């Protein structure tokens, strides 16, 4: 179950009688090709650049960030699940926007952490009803650039996989051999693995 702020909940419930102005925020932490150091860049679905405080997906605390607007940002459906399904979310942005160009061409985006937030704006004041809420934490899987034909429009589709669940598919080389286990406080797991691998077990039949 996901807990959201009371202000955000009130805005969602009030949408039945009024209206709702949803907004998306995507924040990437890539690496600089020049220095190899982490660099961050935020994009949101509004038209102007914005400085806003969001709930950090790492600390759970409000954090001031800058998000670039006018990027034609679009987020695919994010399904809230309670199982171990690895979610894939697609972040689509403009091919020609300057911030988008910097993100995919100026930075190393491979396996870059990404945070996606959602929020609604007040229909009267046009201000956020509360701090944007985290709806997805993941890693960039790929970011192909679609080059359009003459007269057509192109875009960039950044495919992201959920970070927490994708860790379950990683192997640990420290635990892959008996030699590796011997360095872990005398653990002898796998001591006879090479011998057992050659055994023929007569399962379901007479030996």
């Amino acid at each position: 179950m996901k807990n959201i702020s009371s202000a955000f909940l009130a805005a969602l419930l009030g949408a039945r009688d009024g209206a709702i102005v949803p907004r998306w925020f995507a924040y990437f932490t890539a690496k600089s090709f020049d220095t190899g150091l982490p660099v961050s860049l935020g994009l949101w679905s509004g038209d102007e650049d914005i400085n806003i405080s969001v709930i950090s997906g790492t600390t759970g605390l409000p954090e001031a960030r800058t998000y670039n607007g006018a990027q034609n940002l679009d987020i695919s459906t994010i399904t809230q699940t309670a199982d171990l399904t690895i979610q894939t979310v697609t972040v689509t942005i403009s091919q020609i926007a300057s911030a988008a160009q910097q993100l995919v061409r100026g930075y190393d985006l491979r396996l870059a952490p990404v945070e996606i937030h959602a929020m609604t704006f007040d229909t009267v004041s046009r201000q956020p009803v509360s701090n944007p809420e985290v709806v997805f934490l993941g890693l960039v899987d790929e970011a192909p650039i679609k080059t359009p034909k003459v007269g057509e429009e192109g875009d960039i589709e950044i495919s992201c996989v959920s970070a927490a669940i994708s860790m379950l598919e990683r192997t640990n080389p420290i635990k892959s051999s008996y030699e590796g286990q011997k360095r872990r406080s005398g653990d002898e797991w796998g001591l006879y693995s090479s011998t057992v691998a050659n055994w023929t077990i007569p399962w379901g039949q007479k030996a």
Side-chain angles (χ1 to χ4, degrees), residues 112-131:
V114 55
E115 295 183 12
I116 299 177
H117 293 71
M119 184 44 53
T120 179
F121 275 45
D122 186 275
T123 56
V124 178
S125 67
R126 309 298 292 182
Q127 296 298 313
V129 298
S130 67
N131 297 114

Side-chain angles (χ1 to χ4, degrees), residues 35-57:
T35 64
L37 298 175
V39 286
S40 298
L41 192 147
L43 310 172
W44 80 298
S45 54
D47 295 328
E48 304 291 338
D49 296 350
I50 187 175
N51 295 313
I52 191 171
S53 179
V54 304
I55 302 300
S56 170

